Amino acid sequence: MKTAVLGTGGGGRAHAAKLAELGHEVYVGTRDVEGTLARTEPDMMGNPPYKQWLADHPGITLLPFGEAAAAADEIVINGIDGHNAVTALTAIADQLAGKTLIDYAVPFIYQHETEHPWPTPWGVMPKLDPCDTDSLGERIQRALPRTKVVKSFVTQEQTTVVDPNAVGGGDHTMFVAGDHSDAKQQTTDLLTSYGWSDVLDLGPLVCARGMEMYAHMHSAIGFGLGQQFGGHFGIKVVR
Ligand SMILES: NC(=O)c1ccc[n+]([C@@H]2O[C@H](COP(=O)([O-])OP(=O)(O)OC[C@H]3O[C@@H](n4cnc5c(N)ncnc54)[C@H](OP(=O)(O)O)[C@@H]3O)[C@@H](O)[C@H]2O)c1
């Protein structure tokens, strides 16, 4: 199956590598292929330059966002920085039409002034926009009415999403939300292929609000566990 991952950050790399390992033909999207391959410095999260990573993952094809989306048979994963995702995805609406878009982005604003900052080991905690009465997932769905948007993956580090058994023997919970049941089933099937056994359907896409707002709790738990840069733990809904 041909599957696209939009995004060259750490999360996108985790999905691209896992999908290739599972036998998918993987197309990764970026703004500017030449520019991305010309980078020589690690990104802001310390990930090595993309060209270096790609050399260790032969068979993965890097394309402009629109061409990567067009190459996918059914599933496109969105790993574009949350603040810029709606604009970037709207520009490729035609290439995403009819496909399932699994969105794990968080609408973080990194540089912001606030009266009551939350100092973290890596700077002030970013703020969410939108939040509370809207979500990035819903904004993407409104911008792409011909695409089936599913919010998922967002409550975990993506390295854990693609390898759930690395934490607690895989005994933890992943969520999906969206307005298209067939797209949620495709997402659940993909998660099952990653190794997930407990995938909880939260219902309509409006539930993306809670999933995105959980980002602060995810960081807080990570700090509580002494894991400053991305927490490797699971959350389980006990019932
Ligand atoms: N990493 C995780 O484990 C994780 C977990 C949960 C949620 N998230 C959220 O998921 C999203 C992606 O995270 P990530 O770590 O995989 O990658 P990231 O470093 O946050 O984002 C990288 C991608 O965003 C694109 N991008 C940045 N600015 C852009 C702009 N102005 N216009 C268009 N595209 C732009 C980059 O394009 P280029 O390729 O052209 O540079 C790159 O492909 C973020 O919102 C993050 O908060 C991440």
Side-chain angles (χ1 to χ4, degrees):
M1 179 185 285
K2 296 175 183 169
T3 302
V5 179
L6 305 181
T8 57
R13 295 181 198 199
H15 287 282
K18 182 67 176 188
L19 290 163
E21 184 190 310
L22 292 172
H24 293 244
E25 220 173 280
V26 182
Y27 296 88
V28 171
T30 188
R31 280 170 287 188
D32 166 31
V33 172
E34 276 184 27
T36 299
L37 293 177
R39 288 176 195 155
T40 55
E41 299 295 323
D43 69 15
M44 71 170 187
M45 299 303 289
N47 296 301
Y50 202 76
K51 188 174 183 178
Q52 195 177 317
W53 179 86
L54 202 55
D56 293 332
H57 297 84
I60 292 175
T61 306
L62 186 66
L63 293 171
F65 284 136
E67 288 179 36
D73 294 323
E74 297 176 351
I75 294 177
V76 180
I77 295 174
N78 177 43
I80 297 174
D81 162 62
H83 183 54
N84 295 292
V86 173
T87 304
L89 294 170
T90 302
I92 59 166
D94 286 343
Q95 292 92 325
L96 288 165
K99 295 181 182 171
T100 291
L101 182 69
I102 308 172
D103 169 43
Y104 70 84
V106 178
F108 272 151
I109 309 278
Y110 289 96
Q111 307 298 336
H112 67 104
E113 300 276 323
T114 175
E115 203 181 338
H116 307 290
W118 175 2
T120 72
W122 33 264
V124 170
M125 179 64 86
K127 71 171 182 178
L128 291 159
D129 181 16
C131 84
D132 217 6
T133 54
D134 199 3
S135 64
L136 175 62
E138 291 166 275
R139 283 195 176 174
I140 294 172
Q141 182 65 87
R142 288 197 298 270
L144 304 174
R146 293 174 289 158
T147 300
K148 299 170 187 180
V149 177
V150 177
K151 194 84 197 189
S152 189
F153 306 169
V154 63
T155 49
Q156 291 282 359
E157 293 304 310
Q158 301 311 300
T159 46
T160 307
V161 174
V162 303
D163 187 13
N165 292 316
V167 173
D171 185 22
H172 47 131
T173 308
M174 174 54 61
F175 306 98
V176 295
D179 297 333
H180 304 274
S181 52
D182 54 340
K184 282 194 285 193
Q185 188 58 54
Q186 285 175 318
T187 306
T188 301
D189 291 346
L190 182 65
L191 284 163
T192 303
S193 75
Y194 282 174
W196 287 91
S197 54
D198 186 20
V199 180
L200 181 58
D201 183 349
L202 299 176
L205 192 57
V206 70
C207 296
R209 298 177 190 183
M211 294 161 87
E212 292 173 11
M213 287 191 279
Y214 171 79
H216 284 189
M217 187 64 181
H218 178 82
S219 292
I221 295 171
F223 299 148
L225 292 171
Q227 301 172 354
Q228 296 183 349
F229 299 99
H232 294 281
F233 54 86
I235 45 171
K236 181 170 174 60
V237 177
V238 182
R239 68 274 204 199

